[in-house]
Amino acid sequence: MVKPGKNILLTLIICGILIPAANTLAGSGDMTVSGDLAVGGSLTVGNVVINPSPKNILSVSKDGNGNYATITAALASITDNDVNHHYLIKVAPGDYIEQVVMKPYVDIAGSGMTNTVIRYLGSTSESDATVKGASNAELRDLKVLANSLILLPKFYCTAIRNENASTWITNVAILASGSTQASYGIRNVDHADAIMRNVAITVSGGGYSYGAYSEDYSDVTITGSTITANGTGYNYGMYTDDLCETTMTDAKLFSTGGSTRNYAVYNNHCSATLIRVTAIASGSNSYGVYNRLHQTSGGIVLADVTTTNHMWMQPEYGVYNTLGASVRILKSIVVGSVNAVYNNQDVSGTYGLSSARIADSMLYNAVAGGEFTCVGCYDGEFGSLGIHCE
């Protein structure tokens, strides 16, 4: 994978032949590149895997067969990491009990989501985490745990925290559990832009359980991932707050078991685009997608979104909009035991009416509240709905 902004110096050797920059190389199929490549003119490539130079690959193994016994020791040995010196730390199978603070331009790769485990107990500080991310760095192919002991519960359990950092997270299992105040699978704060692919998050505990949490201008892209929040209090599959942007594709979110509130997706003054997403919440005060406050840009778009599954789990509200939130729903199945879509009225007049524009979708149970526009929509009995979704 080539990360944006990374300078690449490669040597191209195919069948032992060095290709001069002045010559032309054409072909198709896979190509393995190792070393340095000097290119004079244009180079068009696809599906390229670029690995650091062997001297920039460090190994970690608990059995003593690696360069280092801990990830922290390997990170401490790296002092010249920059755009021209990208490192890879390869971590052997094992259970690594440590707090890891990543460095820019240093990737950490495990030996599989079930083989390499980084774990740490919770903390009394909300800013602590098992792994802290860094910009221009990737965490992949491992599991990250933050779980406090039953007999010694901690206030907070955070598996991954990104603060003003843009981190890639790929093929990672994340578990946060056992907190008394709040559990976070991944927490992004202060302009932290995370890219998450094939991530499985499970959070639980007392108080608040957040699968993926973003605030303060933090933009998140989630692809091919599953997020489950099943704590005993407030549950949030995805939580965004304060001018964040979320893009979610081919994802499943579940929020169940909370005695207070259950949100599969919660947007507060943020924009969101959800494509091919299942957002399921169940229990009392449950919401598939909850949108609060008017979005200053981007808005909220739900395309091919469903709020139920084959077991007919469903929230009380499929989509709930309040305080001027506006949503566009396309080609979706929106189910709610109380309302499929509800637009809460702002009686103060400060934020204006919440609204929903819906096209080519099934709405199971009535809509209610502010402004509605329906085009090509139908109810659970396949009856055609009018322009105002009635």
PDB file of all heavy atoms in Angstrom, residues 179-202:
ATOM      1  N   SER A 179     -14.835  -1.428  31.925  1.00  0.00           N
ATOM      2  CA  SER A 179     -14.716  -0.114  32.556  1.00  0.00           C
ATOM      3  C   SER A 179     -15.947   0.190  33.399  1.00  0.00           C
ATOM      4  O   SER A 179     -17.026  -0.374  33.181  1.00  0.00           O
ATOM      5  CB  SER A 179     -14.559   0.966  31.484  1.00  0.00           C
ATOM      6  OG  SER A 179     -15.755   1.065  30.730  1.00  0.00           O
ATOM      7  N   THR A 180     -15.779   1.102  34.328  1.00  0.00           N
ATOM      8  CA  THR A 180     -16.921   1.551  35.124  1.00  0.00           C
ATOM      9  C   THR A 180     -17.499   2.860  34.618  1.00  0.00           C
ATOM     10  O   THR A 180     -18.664   3.164  34.874  1.00  0.00           O
ATOM     11  CB  THR A 180     -16.511   1.723  36.598  1.00  0.00           C
ATOM     12  OG1 THR A 180     -15.443   2.689  36.677  1.00  0.00           O
ATOM     13  CG2 THR A 180     -16.040   0.405  37.192  1.00  0.00           C
ATOM     14  N   GLN A 181     -16.693   3.648  33.872  1.00  0.00           N
ATOM     15  CA  GLN A 181     -17.152   4.931  33.354  1.00  0.00           C
ATOM     16  C   GLN A 181     -17.363   4.897  31.837  1.00  0.00           C
ATOM     17  O   GLN A 181     -18.444   5.213  31.358  1.00  0.00           O
ATOM     18  CB  GLN A 181     -16.145   6.043  33.703  1.00  0.00           C
ATOM     19  CG  GLN A 181     -15.956   6.260  35.191  1.00  0.00           C
ATOM     20  CD  GLN A 181     -17.210   6.771  35.872  1.00  0.00           C
ATOM     21  OE1 GLN A 181     -17.956   7.554  35.285  1.00  0.00           O
ATOM     22  NE2 GLN A 181     -17.449   6.334  37.095  1.00  0.00           N
ATOM     23  N   ALA A 182     -16.334   4.516  31.089  1.00  0.00           N
ATOM     24  CA  ALA A 182     -16.446   4.524  29.629  1.00  0.00           C
ATOM     25  C   ALA A 182     -15.446   3.568  28.995  1.00  0.00           C
ATOM     26  O   ALA A 182     -14.298   3.476  29.438  1.00  0.00           O
ATOM     27  CB  ALA A 182     -16.236   5.932  29.076  1.00  0.00           C
ATOM     28  N   SER A 183     -15.910   2.861  27.961  1.00  0.00           N
ATOM     29  CA  SER A 183     -15.044   2.010  27.141  1.00  0.00           C
ATOM     30  C   SER A 183     -15.037   2.556  25.716  1.00  0.00           C
ATOM     31  O   SER A 183     -16.090   2.903  25.177  1.00  0.00           O
ATOM     32  CB  SER A 183     -15.552   0.566  27.135  1.00  0.00           C
ATOM     33  OG  SER A 183     -15.480  -0.022  28.420  1.00  0.00           O
ATOM     34  N   TYR A 184     -13.843   2.618  25.115  1.00  0.00           N
ATOM     35  CA  TYR A 184     -13.691   3.102  23.744  1.00  0.00           C
ATOM     36  C   TYR A 184     -12.943   2.043  22.929  1.00  0.00           C
ATOM     37  O   TYR A 184     -11.828   1.651  23.304  1.00  0.00           O
ATOM     38  CB  TYR A 184     -12.882   4.396  23.688  1.00  0.00           C
ATOM     39  CG  TYR A 184     -13.469   5.559  24.446  1.00  0.00           C
ATOM     40  CD1 TYR A 184     -13.149   5.778  25.787  1.00  0.00           C
ATOM     41  CD2 TYR A 184     -14.323   6.471  23.824  1.00  0.00           C
ATOM     42  CE1 TYR A 184     -13.675   6.867  26.489  1.00  0.00           C
ATOM     43  CE2 TYR A 184     -14.853   7.555  24.514  1.00  0.00           C
ATOM     44  CZ  TYR A 184     -14.516   7.741  25.851  1.00  0.00           C
ATOM     45  OH  TYR A 184     -15.032   8.821  26.536  1.00  0.00           O
ATOM     46  N   GLY A 185     -13.530   1.614  21.812  1.00  0.00           N
ATOM     47  CA  GLY A 185     -12.774   0.762  20.914  1.00  0.00           C
ATOM     48  C   GLY A 185     -11.670   1.563  20.264  1.00  0.00           C
ATOM     49  O   GLY A 185     -10.489   1.242  20.368  1.00  0.00           O
ATOM     50  N   ILE A 186     -12.052   2.639  19.574  1.00  0.00           N
ATOM     51  CA  ILE A 186     -11.100   3.589  19.009  1.00  0.00           C
ATOM     52  C   ILE A 186     -11.636   4.985  19.253  1.00  0.00           C
ATOM     53  O   ILE A 186     -12.814   5.258  19.029  1.00  0.00           O
ATOM     54  CB  ILE A 186     -10.851   3.338  17.510  1.00  0.00           C
ATOM     55  CG1 ILE A 186      -9.899   4.393  16.942  1.00  0.00           C
ATOM     56  CG2 ILE A 186     -12.149   3.277  16.721  1.00  0.00           C
ATOM     57  CD1 ILE A 186      -9.405   4.074  15.552  1.00  0.00           C
ATOM     58  N   ARG A 187     -10.778   5.865  19.738  1.00  0.00           N
ATOM     59  CA  ARG A 187     -11.183   7.241  20.023  1.00  0.00           C
ATOM     60  C   ARG A 187     -10.313   8.197  19.223  1.00  0.00           C
ATOM     61  O   ARG A 187      -9.078   8.180  19.333  1.00  0.00           O
ATOM     62  CB  ARG A 187     -11.070   7.547  21.514  1.00  0.00           C
ATOM     63  CG  ARG A 187     -11.653   8.921  21.852  1.00  0.00           C
ATOM     64  CD  ARG A 187     -11.672   9.197  23.336  1.00  0.00           C
ATOM     65  NE  ARG A 187     -12.412  10.439  23.591  1.00  0.00           N
ATOM     66  CZ  ARG A 187     -12.462  11.056  24.763  1.00  0.00           C
ATOM     67  NH1 ARG A 187     -11.847  10.525  25.803  1.00  0.00           N
ATOM     68  NH2 ARG A 187     -13.141  12.169  24.901  1.00  0.00           N
ATOM     69  N   ASN A 188     -10.959   9.038  18.409  1.00  0.00           N
ATOM     70  CA  ASN A 188     -10.268  10.029  17.582  1.00  0.00           C
ATOM     71  C   ASN A 188     -10.624  11.426  18.078  1.00  0.00           C
ATOM     72  O   ASN A 188     -11.803  11.784  18.114  1.00  0.00           O
ATOM     73  CB  ASN A 188     -10.688   9.879  16.125  1.00  0.00           C
ATOM     74  CG  ASN A 188     -10.477   8.479  15.594  1.00  0.00           C
ATOM     75  OD1 ASN A 188      -9.353   7.992  15.535  1.00  0.00           O
ATOM     76  ND2 ASN A 188     -11.560   7.811  15.201  1.00  0.00           N
ATOM     77  N   VAL A 189      -9.616  12.202  18.449  1.00  0.00           N
ATOM     78  CA  VAL A 189      -9.871  13.535  18.988  1.00  0.00           C
ATOM     79  C   VAL A 189      -8.916  14.544  18.355  1.00  0.00           C
ATOM     80  O   VAL A 189      -7.807  14.208  17.946  1.00  0.00           O
ATOM     81  CB  VAL A 189      -9.711  13.562  20.533  1.00  0.00           C
ATOM     82  CG1 VAL A 189     -10.707  12.617  21.190  1.00  0.00           C
ATOM     83  CG2 VAL A 189      -8.297  13.201  20.959  1.00  0.00           C
ATOM     84  N   ASP A 190      -9.381  15.783  18.250  1.00  0.00           N
ATOM     85  CA  ASP A 190      -8.540  16.909  17.833  1.00  0.00           C
ATOM     86  C   ASP A 190      -7.917  16.682  16.452  1.00  0.00           C
ATOM     87  O   ASP A 190      -6.717  16.462  16.313  1.00  0.00           O
ATOM     88  CB  ASP A 190      -7.442  17.170  18.870  1.00  0.00           C
ATOM     89  CG  ASP A 190      -6.661  18.438  18.572  1.00  0.00           C
ATOM     90  OD1 ASP A 190      -7.164  19.274  17.799  1.00  0.00           O
ATOM     91  OD2 ASP A 190      -5.542  18.587  19.108  1.00  0.00           O
ATOM     92  N   HIS A 191      -8.756  16.736  15.398  1.00  0.00           N
ATOM     93  CA  HIS A 191      -8.281  16.617  14.017  1.00  0.00           C
ATOM     94  C   HIS A 191      -7.565  15.285  13.761  1.00  0.00           C
ATOM     95  O   HIS A 191      -6.550  15.231  13.068  1.00  0.00           O
ATOM     96  CB  HIS A 191      -7.339  17.765  13.657  1.00  0.00           C
ATOM     97  CG  HIS A 191      -7.971  19.122  13.740  1.00  0.00           C
ATOM     98  ND1 HIS A 191      -8.112  19.803  14.930  1.00  0.00           N
ATOM     99  CD2 HIS A 191      -8.509  19.916  12.784  1.00  0.00           C
ATOM    100  CE1 HIS A 191      -8.699  20.965  14.706  1.00  0.00           C
ATOM    101  NE2 HIS A 191      -8.961  21.059  13.415  1.00  0.00           N
ATOM    102  N   ALA A 192      -8.087  14.224  14.306  1.00  0.00           N
ATOM    103  CA  ALA A 192      -7.520  12.898  14.074  1.00  0.00           C
ATOM    104  C   ALA A 192      -8.290  12.227  12.946  1.00  0.00           C
ATOM    105  O   ALA A 192      -9.484  11.964  13.074  1.00  0.00           O
ATOM    106  CB  ALA A 192      -7.583  12.060  15.340  1.00  0.00           C
ATOM    107  N   ASP A 193      -7.622  11.957  11.838  1.00  0.00           N
ATOM    108  CA  ASP A 193      -8.265  11.384  10.656  1.00  0.00           C
ATOM    109  C   ASP A 193      -7.841   9.927  10.519  1.00  0.00           C
ATOM    110  O   ASP A 193      -6.723   9.639  10.072  1.00  0.00           O
ATOM    111  CB  ASP A 193      -7.892  12.169   9.399  1.00  0.00           C
ATOM    112  CG  ASP A 193      -8.314  13.628   9.498  1.00  0.00           C
ATOM    113  OD1 ASP A 193      -9.226  13.918  10.280  1.00  0.00           O
ATOM    114  OD2 ASP A 193      -7.723  14.460   8.792  1.00  0.00           O
ATOM    115  N   ALA A 194      -8.721   9.024  10.892  1.00  0.00           N
ATOM    116  CA  ALA A 194      -8.401   7.598  10.853  1.00  0.00           C
ATOM    117  C   ALA A 194      -9.021   6.942   9.629  1.00  0.00           C
ATOM    118  O   ALA A 194     -10.135   7.268   9.225  1.00  0.00           O
ATOM    119  CB  ALA A 194      -8.904   6.910  12.121  1.00  0.00           C
ATOM    120  N   ILE A 195      -8.282   6.005   9.035  1.00  0.00           N
ATOM    121  CA  ILE A 195      -8.782   5.189   7.932  1.00  0.00           C
ATOM    122  C   ILE A 195      -8.796   3.745   8.419  1.00  0.00           C
ATOM    123  O   ILE A 195      -7.748   3.158   8.709  1.00  0.00           O
ATOM    124  CB  ILE A 195      -7.904   5.337   6.681  1.00  0.00           C
ATOM    125  CG1 ILE A 195      -7.940   6.789   6.190  1.00  0.00           C
ATOM    126  CG2 ILE A 195      -8.372   4.391   5.580  1.00  0.00           C
ATOM    127  CD1 ILE A 195      -7.040   7.066   5.014  1.00  0.00           C
ATOM    128  N   MET A 196      -9.988   3.186   8.529  1.00  0.00           N
ATOM    129  CA  MET A 196     -10.169   1.858   9.112  1.00  0.00           C
ATOM    130  C   MET A 196     -10.717   0.909   8.054  1.00  0.00           C
ATOM    131  O   MET A 196     -11.752   1.179   7.456  1.00  0.00           O
ATOM    132  CB  MET A 196     -11.121   1.948  10.308  1.00  0.00           C
ATOM    133  CG  MET A 196     -10.663   2.910  11.380  1.00  0.00           C
ATOM    134  SD  MET A 196     -11.979   3.412  12.532  1.00  0.00           S
ATOM    135  CE  MET A 196     -12.520   1.839  13.143  1.00  0.00           C
ATOM    136  N   ARG A 197     -10.016  -0.206   7.845  1.00  0.00           N
ATOM    137  CA  ARG A 197     -10.435  -1.196   6.854  1.00  0.00           C
ATOM    138  C   ARG A 197     -10.396  -2.587   7.471  1.00  0.00           C
ATOM    139  O   ARG A 197      -9.413  -2.974   8.099  1.00  0.00           O
ATOM    140  CB  ARG A 197      -9.526  -1.150   5.617  1.00  0.00           C
ATOM    141  CG  ARG A 197      -9.500   0.200   4.913  1.00  0.00           C
ATOM    142  CD  ARG A 197      -8.600   0.170   3.698  1.00  0.00           C
ATOM    143  NE  ARG A 197      -7.235  -0.180   4.076  1.00  0.00           N
ATOM    144  CZ  ARG A 197      -6.276  -0.431   3.182  1.00  0.00           C
ATOM    145  NH1 ARG A 197      -6.550  -0.394   1.894  1.00  0.00           N
ATOM    146  NH2 ARG A 197      -5.057  -0.727   3.582  1.00  0.00           N
ATOM    147  N   ASN A 198     -11.492  -3.311   7.308  1.00  0.00           N
ATOM    148  CA  ASN A 198     -11.597  -4.666   7.847  1.00  0.00           C
ATOM    149  C   ASN A 198     -11.245  -4.691   9.330  1.00  0.00           C
ATOM    150  O   ASN A 198     -10.363  -5.427   9.774  1.00  0.00           O
ATOM    151  CB  ASN A 198     -10.708  -5.646   7.074  1.00  0.00           C
ATOM    152  CG  ASN A 198     -11.006  -7.095   7.436  1.00  0.00           C
ATOM    153  OD1 ASN A 198     -12.126  -7.429   7.803  1.00  0.00           O
ATOM    154  ND2 ASN A 198     -10.006  -7.947   7.347  1.00  0.00           N
ATOM    155  N   VAL A 199     -11.969  -3.896  10.083  1.00  0.00           N
ATOM    156  CA  VAL A 199     -11.765  -3.790  11.522  1.00  0.00           C
ATOM    157  C   VAL A 199     -12.983  -4.373  12.237  1.00  0.00           C
ATOM    158  O   VAL A 199     -14.126  -4.132  11.833  1.00  0.00           O
ATOM    159  CB  VAL A 199     -11.544  -2.325  11.935  1.00  0.00           C
ATOM    160  CG1 VAL A 199     -11.513  -2.180  13.445  1.00  0.00           C
ATOM    161  CG2 VAL A 199     -10.234  -1.807  11.333  1.00  0.00           C
ATOM    162  N   ALA A 200     -12.744  -5.137  13.288  1.00  0.00           N
ATOM    163  CA  ALA A 200     -13.822  -5.697  14.104  1.00  0.00           C
ATOM    164  C   ALA A 200     -13.704  -5.147  15.515  1.00  0.00           C
ATOM    165  O   ALA A 200     -12.714  -5.394  16.202  1.00  0.00           O
ATOM    166  CB  ALA A 200     -13.745  -7.222  14.117  1.00  0.00           C
ATOM    167  N   ILE A 201     -14.702  -4.367  15.936  1.00  0.00           N
ATOM    168  CA  ILE A 201     -14.665  -3.700  17.236  1.00  0.00           C
ATOM    169  C   ILE A 201     -15.798  -4.229  18.113  1.00  0.00           C
ATOM    170  O   ILE A 201     -16.945  -4.317  17.682  1.00  0.00           O
ATOM    171  CB  ILE A 201     -14.814  -2.175  17.087  1.00  0.00           C
ATOM    172  CG1 ILE A 201     -13.712  -1.594  16.200  1.00  0.00           C
ATOM    173  CG2 ILE A 201     -14.808  -1.498  18.452  1.00  0.00           C
ATOM    174  CD1 ILE A 201     -13.859  -0.104  15.930  1.00  0.00           C
ATOM    175  N   THR A 202     -15.466  -4.558  19.365  1.00  0.00           N
ATOM    176  CA  THR A 202     -16.469  -4.939  20.354  1.00  0.00           C
ATOM    177  C   THR A 202     -16.176  -4.192  21.641  1.00  0.00           C
ATOM    178  O   THR A 202     -15.044  -4.227  22.143  1.00  0.00           O
ATOM    179  CB  THR A 202     -16.455  -6.454  20.627  1.00  0.00           C
ATOM    180  OG1 THR A 202     -16.672  -7.157  19.401  1.00  0.00           O
ATOM    181  CG2 THR A 202     -17.554  -6.829  21.615  1.00  0.00           C
TER     182      THR A 202
END
